[in-house]
Amino acid sequence: MTRCRLKVIPPELFRLLPQLRAVKLTNNCISVLPVSIPLQTTLRELDLHGNKFTEFPAKQFINFRHLEELNLSENEISSLPSPLTDLFEHLYVLKLSSNNFSTFPVSVKDLYTLTVLNLSFNKIKVLPDELAECVNLEELSLQHNSISSFPLVLTKLDSLRHLNLAQNKLESLPAEIKEMSNLCILELQHNLLSVLPAEIGELSGLTTLKLNDNQLSVLPSTIGSLQKLMELHLQENKIQVLPEKIGL
């Protein structure tokens, strides 16, 4: 039910339809969940993006313990409760883009099964060391935040395959980025990068590297070592000559 101007969710929705596996109530005016929601044993996906939530409805989510995917993007949430293990047993996907987070919600570390986390379009500046506890995280999107220094904690996420740090304020990358050898997709477009470390050539699993709209004038020759690379985005930089090893 999209764009229906709903302000409340009828409690009967969950009581009369006990076999629901997915509920999508996007782009409405919902700000709270019903107090009396029966335990949902079959519901796996709940999409409430584009509503009016100002707080994470922790009490109601106690009855959604079996959720696997939760989308609360495009709301007005600024924090998450702790611990989240009391709410979710097997949450794999959590989408919180376009909210009011000014600090990274540390309690995300409690979600041991989490594989996809989207916190794009918020106001986050730094990432906590506790993020390293998300050992199963495969996709992390932090596009359009206020991150000015590459968070070294990201190099501890061995399962990470897709990292999106586009539209931040990054000026450089650390040599430690070489530790992220399992990355397949790295999005760094629309930052302030003027130079890349030679170690970027050690990201042997990269298939996509987006560096467009930065301030790069030269590329390290080691980029030619990225044998699996299929997409390299370089437009809107200051590069005049490409390294010979790229083979272009």
Side-chain angles (χ1 to χ4, degrees):
M1 299 177 68
T2 300
R3 302 186 189 279
C4 296
R5 299 182 181 179
L6 286 176
K7 293 185 178 181
V8 295
I9 303 175
E12 294 81 7
L13 173 68
F14 298 102
R15 188 171 65 251
L16 298 178
L17 300 172
Q19 299 303 313
L20 283 173
R21 292 190 62 84
V23 172
K24 299 184 179 182
L25 296 166
T26 62
N27 295 296
N28 283 288
C29 300
I30 302 166
S31 60
V32 294
L33 290 178
V35 175
S36 56
I37 297 177
L39 180 65
Q40 301 298 301
T41 58
T42 62
L43 193 66
R44 297 294 182 266
E45 180 183 352
L46 181 59
D47 190 344
L48 294 169
H49 85 260
N51 279 285
K52 302 293 183 182
F53 288 93
T54 58
E55 294 183 355
F56 192 87
K59 291 183 179 180
Q60 290 82 356
F61 274 131
I62 290 176
N63 287 325
F64 292 97
R65 294 184 62 83
H66 299 284
L67 270 185
E68 296 178 355
E69 181 172 344
L70 174 61
N71 190 346
L72 280 167
S73 298
E74 297 178 51
N75 280 281
E76 300 171 25
I77 300 169
S78 59
S79 64
L80 296 182
S82 181
L84 287 174
T85 47
D86 293 342
L87 304 180
F88 306 111
E89 294 180 350
H90 304 290
L91 194 66
Y92 297 108
V93 178
L94 179 58
K95 298 179 180 180
L96 295 166
S97 63
S98 300
N99 274 282
N100 288 330
F101 290 95
S102 58
T103 59
F104 190 95
V106 177
S107 57
V108 164
K109 69 180 178 60
D110 300 329
L111 302 173
Y112 304 114
T113 59
L114 199 65
T115 59
V116 177
L117 176 60
N118 191 333
L119 276 162
S120 296
F121 292 88
N122 280 286
K123 304 171 185 176
I124 297 168
K125 295 182 179 180
V126 297
L127 304 187
D129 291 340
E130 290 85 349
L131 179 59
E133 297 180 34
C134 294
V135 295
N136 293 304
L137 197 62
E138 297 179 5
E139 180 177 335
L140 176 60
S141 184
L142 291 163
Q143 180 179 354
H144 204 292
N145 276 280
S146 299
I147 301 171
S148 58
S149 178
F150 189 91
L152 289 179
V153 65
L154 295 177
T155 65
K156 308 300 181 184
L157 297 173
D158 293 335
S159 296
L160 200 62
R161 301 291 185 270
H162 184 175
L163 174 61
N164 188 347
L165 284 171
Q167 294 177 278
N168 276 281
K169 300 177 180 180
L170 295 175
E171 297 183 3
S172 63
L173 302 178
E176 289 87 346
I177 198 170
K178 66 182 180 181
E179 299 174 21
M180 307 180 74
S181 58
N182 289 322
L183 268 185
C184 297
I185 301 173
L186 178 57
E187 301 189 55
L188 296 168
Q189 64 270 32
H190 291 278
N191 274 285
L192 302 172
L193 297 172
S194 59
V195 65
L196 299 177
E199 288 81 1
I200 199 168
E202 298 185 42
L203 300 179
S204 57
L206 271 191
T207 59
T208 300
L209 177 57
K210 296 185 179 182
L211 295 166
N212 53 283
D213 296 274
N214 276 282
Q215 299 177 11
L216 298 169
S217 59
V218 64
L219 294 178
S221 60
T222 52
I223 281 188
S225 302
L226 301 175
Q227 296 299 307
K228 294 183 179 180
L229 196 64
M230 295 185 289
E231 290 187 34
L232 177 59
H233 299 238
L234 296 172
Q235 62 270 30
E236 300 300 328
N237 277 286
K238 303 175 182 179
I239 300 170
Q240 296 183 347
V241 179
L242 294 174
E244 292 183 3
K245 288 187 178 180
I246 291 183
L248 298 177

